[in-house]
Amino acid sequence: MRIGIIGGGNVGTALAGAFARAGHAPVLLRRDPAAPGAAPGATPSAPLAPLDGAEAYVLATPYAAAVGALSAVRPGAVPVIDATNPLEMGADGLGLSIGHSTSAAEEIARALPGLRLVKCFNTAGFGVLAEAGRFAPKPVMFAASEDDEARALALRLAADIGFDPVDAGPLRAARLLEAHAMLWIELAAKRGLGRDIAFALLRA
Ligand SMILES: NC(=O)c1ccc[n+]([C@@H]2O[C@H](COP(=O)([O-])OP(=O)(O)OC[C@H]3O[C@@H](n4cnc5c(N)ncnc54)[C@H](OP(=O)(O)O)[C@@H]3O)[C@@H](O)[C@H]2O)c1
């Protein structure tokens, strides 16, 4: 699948590598495709603009840059997988800037009506996204969307790169998934567990 990854940072680069190893064709969409990034490596780069033949986009920018970046990419009817988290530095350190009654995903969807948005790939650190296969049992990856096809597509991609894919329902579940990401950050950064951790869903 030809996947336009918006943002050549930690997450964009990690997912690009994982998708390529799974047989997909990722392209990093970057403000300056020639600029040195977070080791884009062998993944081709293109400008921040519509990608010919794109079958999916992944949004991997800071939340504050999301609407601007999507406005440049103009996804049209192509599903967009939103990996952002609305992070900000507060008195207690890094936290969520919004939550409980809305989410980054819902705010992006509100700002860009018609976008086929699915929340996914936001609940694990970039090192986990890069190589989920290092973990046993498989790390869980949730997807939430109003669009059943877009949600199914994100779950297929998650499975392709080594995650246990779990349907989390409509887009408002992004409120829970963004908080879930914050728990990962707390455990990894503040509680000393480090970045080599991932959540799994166990079934009796
Ligand atoms: N770090 C993690 O482990 C992790 C895990 C899950 C989710 N997330 C979320 O995923 C998103 C990306 O995280 P990251 O760690 O990859 O961040 P990052 O390393 O800072 O990369 C973000 C990339 O977004 C692009 N960007 C920045 N400002 C932009 C703007 N104004 N307009 C368009 N593009 C812009 C840049 O790519 P170019 O220079 O190539 O244009 C930049 O490298 C964030 O929302 C984060 O909360 C992070």
Side-chain angles (χ1 to χ4, degrees):
M1 184 181 297
R2 187 161 160 84
I3 306 167
I5 299 181
I6 305 169
N10 294 314
V11 169
T13 305
L15 284 173
F19 289 147
R21 283 196 301 279
H24 295 293
V27 177
L28 288 171
L29 304 181
R30 309 188 62 215
R31 292 168 296 176
D32 177 358
T43 307
S45 289
L48 193 62
L51 175 70
D52 280 350
E55 295 161 272
Y57 289 103
V58 175
L59 178 64
T61 67
Y63 167 55
V67 171
L70 286 170
S71 301
V73 169
R74 302 194 301 279
V78 176
V80 175
I81 301 172
D82 168 24
T84 69
N85 286 307
L87 301 180
E88 71 174 7
M89 200 54 82
D92 299 327
L94 203 57
L96 294 175
S97 61
I98 53 172
H100 296 295
S101 56
T102 188
S103 60
E106 290 164 282
E107 294 304 311
I108 294 166
R110 210 184 321 277
L112 298 170
L115 200 65
R116 298 182 65 196
L117 197 66
V118 48
K119 190 89 205 180
C120 190
F121 297 128
N122 70 307
T123 53
F126 66 86
V128 181
L129 296 172
E131 229 179 318
R134 291 183 297 137
F135 297 86
K138 288 184 181 185
V140 66
M141 186 52 67
F142 302 102
S145 180
E146 302 306 318
D147 184 316
D148 291 344
E149 279 179 27
R151 193 184 328 102
L153 178 148
L155 291 171
R156 271 201 310 279
L157 287 174
D160 286 350
I161 63 170
F163 286 96
D164 172 19
V166 174
D167 183 338
L171 196 64
R172 67 173 178 277
R175 300 170 194 184
L176 308 176
L177 301 187
E178 291 168 13
H180 191 70
M182 199 61 234
L183 176 63
W184 186 94
I185 294 167
E186 286 274 335
L187 294 175
K190 293 190 193 165
R191 309 307 310 165
L193 271 61
R195 302 190 62 90
D196 270 344
I197 57 167
F199 297 115
L201 188 74
L202 302 183
R203 302 160 174 88

